[in-house]
Amino acid sequence: ELYGELGELDRQAMVLNNMGGFAYRDGRWDEAVGLYQRGAQLHKRAGDVASSAYGDCNVGEVLADQGRLEQAEVLLQRARRIWRSTDHEWGVASADALLGRVAVRDGRYDEGLQLLRQAYLVFRELRTADDVRWVEALTAEAYAMSREPEAALNTADLLLAGLPSGARLNALLHRVRGFAFAQTGDLASAEEELE
């Protein structure tokens, strides 16, 4: 509200985007989408098209989590095009990671793993360790979804060994382990991981 009163659209947009992230992590997905979209509109009004692409990327992530893969892919591709045209490497890698996840969820495993690999390499080059771990977790998930339980377990185990118990990625990695154990027939371990 303060940034709105001051007419600082770019800062208001950043706050709305952050609030969208908090809503998303709390499971308030409709609220998150609204906040992301408002932030993107304000970035556009401020003349910052590159930052407005965060709205598309973030809404695309929510849509993908809801299983609305086609809609998600359109938004993620648009964000990627904008970031590629502005040489925003981190943004392109983020879009690639999410596009990889969408492709895997759509059954296009090879394409998805290739996009995840691209994102991983860029994040390694940029030395953004949290993003590297995030893509590795998405890769573990991709292995589980493509019915490669050993690769899924190995990747998830390596990541879990280096993460603190309250890390954001832990739930995803335990879910991956649950899927993988179920695929190997170890239902007791699968249930324990999913719990």
Side-chain angles (χ1 to χ4, degrees):
E1 288 177 18
L2 179 60
Y3 287 136
E5 290 172 18
L6 295 173
E8 295 190 25
L9 301 180
D10 58 335
R11 292 179 184 240
Q12 187 179 14
M14 286 188 293
V15 170
L16 287 168
N17 190 62
N18 289 341
M19 290 171 60
F22 297 138
Y24 170 66
R25 286 187 188 91
D26 286 345
R28 301 185 322 269
W29 288 359
D30 291 339
E31 182 182 341
V33 166
L35 290 164
Y36 288 147
Q37 289 172 334
R38 285 176 52 206
Q41 290 166 359
L42 288 172
H43 274 303
K44 284 179 188 171
R45 282 182 47 206
D48 188 351
V49 177
S51 292
S52 75
Y54 285 105
D56 283 343
C57 190
N58 293 335
V59 171
E61 182 176 22
V62 174
L63 294 175
D65 285 346
Q66 293 174 329
R68 297 158 63 186
L69 302 180
E70 287 180 29
Q71 292 172 292
E73 194 159 7
V74 168
L75 293 177
L76 293 168
Q77 289 285 5
R78 185 167 63 194
R80 188 178 188 275
R81 273 193 308 276
I82 290 168
W83 285 329
R84 184 170 293 287
S85 70
T86 58
D87 292 324
H88 183 26
E89 290 180 272
W90 185 90
V92 172
S94 296
D96 281 346
L98 291 170
L99 284 165
R101 195 177 203 195
V102 166
V104 166
R105 289 175 173 179
D106 196 37
R108 296 175 281 141
Y109 304 118
D110 290 340
E111 177 187 345
L113 285 166
Q114 181 180 352
L115 285 163
L116 289 167
R117 180 74 180 155
Q118 286 173 208
Y120 172 83
L121 292 172
V122 172
F123 287 140
R124 285 281 308 260
E125 187 176 306
L126 295 174
R127 294 189 174 122
T128 55
D130 287 342
D131 297 316
V132 168
R133 283 190 289 274
W134 173 58
V135 172
E136 288 175 322
L138 296 183
T139 302
E141 180 186 58
Y143 288 143
M145 291 183 140
S146 62
R147 299 194 179 278
E148 296 182 51
E150 294 304 320
L153 286 168
N154 289 338
T155 306
D157 289 348
L158 283 172
L159 283 166
L160 283 167
L163 291 173
S165 62
R168 184 172 61 100
L169 293 175
N170 284 355
L172 168 62
L173 293 168
H174 285 290
R175 189 175 75 234
V176 164
R177 286 174 50 79
F179 292 163
F181 279 128
Q183 289 169 15
T184 66
D186 184 349
L187 300 184
S189 294
E191 184 176 357
E192 181 180 339
E193 291 295 329
L194 293 170
E195 284 290 333

